[in-house]
Amino acid sequence: MGLLCSRNSRYAEADTEENAQAAEIERRIEQERKAEKHIQKLLLLGTGESGKSTIFKQIKLLFQTGFDEEELKSCISVIHANIYQTIKYAKPEKGEFAQNELDSSKYVLSVENKVIGEKLSEIGSRLDCPCLNRELAQEIETLWKGSAFQEDVLYARVRTTGVVEIQFSPVGENKKSEVYRLFDVGGQRNERRKWIHLFEDVTAVIFCAAISEYDQTLFEDEQKNQMVETKELFDWVLKQPCFEKTSFMLFLNKFDIFETKVLKVPLNVCEWFKDYQPVSTGKQEIEHAYEFVKKIFEELYFQSTTPDRVDRVFKIYRTNALDQKLVKKTFKLVDESLRRRNLFEAGLL
Amino acid sequence: MSVAELKEKHAAATETVNNLRERLKQRRQQLLDTDVAGYARSQGKSPLTFGPTDLLCCRTLQGHTGKVYSLDWTPERNRIVSASQDGRLIVWNALTSQKTHAIKLPCAWVMTCAFSPAGQSVACGGLDSMCSIFNLNSQTDRDGNLPVSKTLSGHKGYVSCCQYVPDEDIHIITSSGDQTCVLWDITTGLRTSVFGGEFQSGHTADVLSVSINGSNSRMFVSGSCDATARLWDSRVASRAVRTFHGHEGDVNTVKFFPDGNRFGTGSDDGTCRLFDIRTGHQLQVYYQQHGDNEVPHVTSIAFSISGRLLFAGYSNGDCYVWDTLLAKVVLNLGSVQNSHEGRITCLGLSADGSALCTGSSDTNLKIWAFGGHRRVI
């Protein structure tokens, strides 16, 4: 450590092998950075009932081209590790589930499968996982089919993910087009302010607001109106320092429910919309009510945007997450806005 | 009993607890006749002479393409692992500043990283709610990436911090946004103990940081968004040994003092504090007024090897070196020559205390050493 303290010392002699290794690492990092440069990151945000997860699923169904080979390969080791981890639950004495289950006879394995189970448990308990070969894969399949706890295991797996992502290209692989990576941070019942900064360099935030919720209160807090909760969240997100230059795409969602509700339940039951006055009936009224809501959101946007941020792209879209055609059309418009923005930034517009 | 009656009972009980807490606070203040700085001054302790030439930047580690969020030194050989917004872990040789490993993570949203005691593995965690372990000696795949050796899953929220139990390569403690800390057995991948959570008394908001006692590795302290720090005995998961109140904002970082009898904290309220684990007292507050701008948050802290210095990184780019005894700032690493161009987001001291590593939003890491005649304190 003395070498570090002396100001004029040369760096400790690194041997040539170490230098070569470091150079290789740097080359790889540069390669990966170039490959990722053109990928535009999008973050889905919204309150619990906003329908953002449905939007996520729709986009996945509509556009996903699948992962490229590199990413698939990098996933393989994760999948292997997960398989070994999951299958070790086949040992009833050690598994977590058996401890909680009153009727543990459900987990008893047949004699033949017990042998396989032992072998796989042994593998699973090692720190390093061997590569998954055909023989092992077949043994795992045998055990899996004979087990009674598939549901529990599946359920456990779904619960653990914190972020889901999909990579897609809305125009199709053949044409040279934008590649997007969409993130949905789901299932986190915690403080957004502690992780929102991680998304600082996303191209755009897609904020989902369910406009049909103006007469509903939160599940967790009966005093709080869902629309007001959405308003507060939107306001908070707009003011975050990490989104100073980020484009905002506001999806006013659940329009189909809004349509029918607004004719029966007046908008002004929600305190945020208390200034609303209905003007007519039927389709005209629906449009009028929608325009009112849209304007209120616009006002909120400008109130929450400081002068140095007015250059941000801000667009509002009317959506119904269950209508696949509409989601597709909406996303194509989003894509257009973002591409225009990129050209503008590059000084080409 | 009806829901309304239950709510009333709950409100009454909460009020009682708050009153008791207030009385405890007042009683403590009566017992505390002075703080560390007051006592040190009365004993005639002289302030440290510490200037810009006493701590020099001797290495700049470049290579990350995004902000550096976390770093950790090996306990022995001088290597550092760092985690960045670019979704990578990089392992560095601190002496030669060469990279020995670069790991592209399956989930790019990483918030923390740690080196195993033997230096063979690194762990990381983040928004994926999992803690992933990588064995540095395993074969890299065709693209040069290390495969995940183990995934520790079970948390229901982001993993904010992780630390291996000293001298035990197979045990690691994580803190999470799901309000719990967990002690894991890496070989089985299972949770050995869960500290806090639904049916146990623990933190009531996201847990942001953990620090294990270097002198007694059964004890660890955690800091949380509930503005408290809690001391735990790893053998007793059901309740915390003690809860430390005092901060007025999220406790972002906690670190044990070198002798293991005290620990430091850093918070959104702009202060660092020193607490004593035996008496539960708050010994000192470290805070410097800035004028009426927004109070900057303390994001990370570290103690020098004797504990005489407290390094603290702030959200506005400052990195104060505090004289812990006299509660005075002796240097601002954020504004010396050759300092980072961005905020300092994380910092850590080498095992022998002779070097400090800082990570920044400018994507670099810097290593600082005590210069010239200055002996290591």
Side-chain angles (χ1 to χ4, degrees):
Chain A
M1 231 26 207
L3 282 162
L4 274 185
C5 295
S6 162
R7 202 175 171 185
N8 296 319
S9 74
R10 285 178 304 127
Y11 289 1
E13 288 294 338
D15 56 44
T16 35
E17 193 187 316
E18 204 190 38
N19 280 336
Q21 198 184 24
E24 175 59 29
I25 289 174
E26 278 159 21
R27 189 195 61 80
R28 186 162 50 88
I29 290 177
E30 179 56 22
Q31 201 178 41
E32 285 167 2
R33 191 191 65 81
K34 279 209 182 99
E36 301 241 314
K37 210 166 58 157
H38 66 291
I39 298 178
Q40 316 250 9
K41 298 195 213 127
L42 305 171
L43 175 65
L44 262 174
L45 286 176
T47 58
E49 294 292 304
S50 61
K52 68 179 169 74
S53 299
T54 311
I55 296 271
F56 184 87
K57 284 183 212 154
Q58 287 286 28
I59 291 185
K60 186 170 180 161
L61 287 168
L62 285 168
F63 298 125
Q64 185 158 37
T65 55
F67 294 100
D68 59 46
E69 222 194 317
E70 292 244 341
E71 287 170 289
L72 280 172
K73 294 238 166 113
S74 71
C75 278
I76 289 176
S77 58
V78 178
I79 295 172
H80 286 184
N82 280 338
I83 291 176
Y84 288 125
Q85 265 226 293
T86 309
I87 213 67
K88 76 178 181 292
Y89 288 126
K91 259 214 148 168
E93 310 86 72
K94 287 192 185 152
E96 284 193 321
F97 301 119
Q99 283 169 12
N100 297 330
E101 188 65 36
L102 293 170
D103 176 24
S104 58
S105 58
K106 192 163 112 179
Y107 299 112
V108 172
L109 298 167
S110 65
V111 177
E112 319 88 68
N113 286 350
K114 244 198 170 130
V115 175
I116 304 177
E118 299 266 350
K119 174 178 172 187
L120 292 171
S121 275
E122 192 273 318
I123 294 176
S125 64
R126 287 193 242 145
L127 207 55
D128 279 341
C129 297
C131 220
L132 191 65
N133 58 30
R134 196 166 287 267
E135 188 201 322
L136 278 171
Q138 270 175 350
E139 287 178 328
I140 290 175
E141 204 181 0
T142 314
L143 196 65
W144 181 257
K145 284 196 178 132
S147 76
F149 51 80
Q150 287 186 36
E151 258 177 47
D152 294 323
V153 172
L154 278 174
Y155 180 69
R157 280 191 54 72
V158 166
R159 243 194 312 152
T160 51
T161 19
V163 188
V164 283
E165 68 174 73
I166 45 171
Q167 183 158 313
F168 64 99
S169 193
V171 181
E173 267 184 87
N174 300 324
K175 299 202 195 139
K176 195 167 166 57
S177 85
E178 303 297 336
V179 178
Y180 293 103
R181 212 177 261 169
L182 180 67
F183 301 99
D184 182 12
V185 183
Q188 304 262 3
R189 282 182 358 236
N190 49 42
E191 302 290 350
R192 260 183 210 90
R193 66 174 185 277
K194 290 304 180 192
W195 51 259
I196 198 80
H197 61 90
L198 292 169
F199 294 97
E200 185 168 9
D201 65 348
V202 296
T203 309
V205 166
I206 298 181
F207 192 92
C208 293
I211 53 176
S212 58
E213 289 172 353
Y214 60 90
D215 65 338
Q216 287 165 282
T217 52
L218 295 180
F219 179 71
E220 304 97 48
D221 179 356
E222 281 158 25
Q223 308 301 332
K224 201 99 184 262
N225 176 280
Q226 289 204 17
M227 205 66 232
V228 172
E229 166 96 346
T230 298
K231 170 193 178 204
E232 284 172 3
L233 179 61
F234 190 49
D235 181 55
W236 181 84
V237 173
L238 287 171
K239 292 183 169 140
Q240 289 307 298
C242 57
F243 294 138
E244 228 173 57
K245 305 211 175 67
T246 318
S247 302
F248 273 84
M249 306 294 168
L250 176 62
F251 281 20
L252 296 180
N253 202 20
K254 301 201 180 174
F255 181 73
D256 52 325
I257 303 177
F258 179 82
E259 266 185 319
T260 39
K261 189 181 277 193
V262 85
L263 297 174
K264 293 185 241 159
V265 182
L267 267 187
N268 46 31
V269 302
C270 172
E271 66 181 82
W272 193 22
F273 299 153
K274 65 183 193 298
D275 292 332
Y276 182 70
Q277 295 299 334
V279 289
S280 64
T281 53
K283 213 146 197 260
Q284 251 193 334
E285 177 54 26
I286 294 172
E287 280 306 314
H288 183 253
Y290 175 76
E291 287 303 315
F292 178 83
V293 171
K294 184 171 166 200
K295 193 163 71 84
I296 289 247
F297 270 97
E298 270 170 355
E299 277 169 9
L300 177 60
Y301 175 80
F302 287 109
Q303 267 168 31
S304 312
T305 299
T306 51
D308 60 331
R309 297 188 187 195
V310 284
D311 279 343
R312 272 197 305 211
V313 173
F314 174 58
K315 292 268 187 305
I316 304 182
Y317 302 95
R318 177 197 310 211
T319 56
N320 164 15
L322 299 168
D323 178 348
Q324 208 173 65
K325 275 213 190 85
L326 182 59
V327 172
K328 184 170 187 172
K329 194 174 99 173
T330 307
F331 197 79
K332 289 232 155 90
L333 291 171
V334 168
D335 173 50
E336 246 175 62
S337 290
L338 292 175
R339 275 192 291 139
R340 202 176 310 134
R341 173 75 183 171
N342 287 341
L343 291 172
F344 181 75
E345 297 251 279
L348 296 169
L349 215 66
Chain B
M1 209 181 289
S2 73
V3 172
E5 283 172 357
L6 273 171
K7 276 195 173 167
E8 249 183 68
K9 274 203 125 185
H10 182 256
T14 309
E15 171 123 12
T16 311
V17 168
N18 286 341
N19 284 338
L20 284 169
R21 195 170 282 159
E22 187 57 35
R23 278 172 58 191
L24 264 175
K25 183 172 159 188
Q26 282 169 6
R27 187 85 179 102
R28 274 198 190 280
Q29 274 172 344
Q30 279 176 349
L31 289 171
L32 274 178
D33 51 353
T34 182
D35 60 11
V36 170
Y39 184 73
R41 279 193 298 267
S42 71
Q43 295 291 300
K45 277 282 182 207
S46 46
L48 275 178
T49 47
F50 206 84
T53 53
D54 289 315
L55 199 59
L56 297 167
C57 173
C58 57
R59 299 279 188 281
T60 298
L61 308 178
Q62 295 173 307
H64 276 302
T65 55
K67 299 187 175 159
V68 178
Y69 281 135
S70 177
L71 66 91
D72 193 28
W73 290 82
T74 39
E76 285 167 63
R77 283 165 54 205
N78 296 301
R79 289 182 298 157
I80 298 172
V81 64
S82 56
S84 156
Q85 191 192 30
D86 62 8
R88 267 190 206 90
L89 292 183
I90 295 184
V91 181
W92 314 80
N93 175 330
L95 292 172
T96 63
S97 60
Q98 296 284 41
K99 305 171 189 54
T100 58
H101 299 80
I103 306 167
K104 189 97 178 76
L105 300 167
C107 174
W109 316 110
V110 60
M111 298 166 88
T112 181
C113 61
F115 238 123
S116 67
Q120 309 293 329
S121 306
V122 291
C124 69
L127 219 47
D128 55 357
S129 306
M130 302 192 297
C131 183
S132 304
I133 313 282
F134 295 87
N135 183 329
L136 296 176
N137 300 322
S138 44
Q139 274 273 58
T140 55
D141 63 21
R142 200 191 65 184
D143 305 308
N145 266 319
L146 272 177
V148 183
S149 305
K150 208 76 181 182
T151 308
L152 306 174
S153 49
H155 273 303
K156 300 190 192 87
Y158 60 87
V159 173
S160 49
C161 186
C162 61
Q163 188 182 350
Y164 279 84
V165 177
D167 304 320
E168 290 180 39
D169 265 36
I170 60 163
H171 286 121
I172 192 170
I173 296 185
T174 54
S175 60
S176 166
D178 67 6
Q179 307 182 5
T180 67
C181 295
V182 172
L183 171 66
W184 304 83
D185 178 328
I186 296 176
T187 43
T188 61
L190 295 176
R191 290 172 282 195
T192 302
S193 302
V194 178
F195 305 91
E198 258 183 275
F199 305 113
Q200 295 158 347
S201 79
H203 284 292
T204 53
D206 303 16
V207 190
L208 304 174
S209 177
V210 279
S211 175
I212 303 178
N213 190 335
S215 317
N216 175 1
S217 56
R218 267 182 8 234
M219 308 298 283
F220 70 92
V221 73
S222 58
S224 159
C225 284
D226 65 10
T228 68
R230 271 163 226 252
L231 178 68
W232 303 88
D233 179 327
S234 59
R235 298 168 311 175
V236 183
S238 50
R239 72 181 311 114
V241 172
R242 199 189 282 281
T243 301
F244 299 83
H245 298 271
H247 275 296
E248 289 160 13
D250 302 346
V251 179
N252 298 314
T253 176
V254 289
K255 259 312 148 45
F256 256 102
F257 195 77
D259 74 352
N261 290 321
R262 287 158 270 267
F263 66 89
T265 55
S267 161
D268 272 0
D269 65 9
T271 69
C272 295
R273 290 171 202 238
L274 188 68
F275 292 94
D276 184 307
I277 64 171
R278 292 161 303 180
T279 60
H281 285 319
Q282 178 182 287
L283 300 175
Q284 185 66 49
V285 179
Y286 301 96
Y287 178 64
Q288 187 162 286
Q289 189 68 23
H290 278 94
D292 15 56
N293 296 345
E294 238 180 82
V295 175
H297 303 164
V298 179
T299 54
S300 53
I301 58 170
F303 284 105
S304 68
I305 198 145
S306 66
R308 184 63 194 267
L309 298 174
L310 167 66
F311 302 94
Y314 295 77
S315 55
N316 66 350
D318 289 332
C319 180
Y320 288 163
V321 181
W322 290 90
D323 172 339
T324 51
L325 217 47
L326 292 166
K328 283 254 172 335
V329 178
V330 294
L331 187 63
N332 182 357
L333 276 183
S335 56
V336 299
Q337 211 181 24
N338 203 14
S339 180
H340 285 287
E341 283 163 19
R343 279 185 303 117
I344 290 174
T345 53
C346 50
L347 34 84
L349 211 70
S350 64
D352 63 357
S354 63
L356 172 76
C357 183
T358 51
S360 164
S361 57
D362 68 2
T363 77
N364 295 334
L365 289 101
K366 280 185 184 280
I367 301 183
W368 308 78
F370 290 92
H373 66 283
R374 159 68 62 187
R375 61 182 173 81
V376 172
I377 53 165

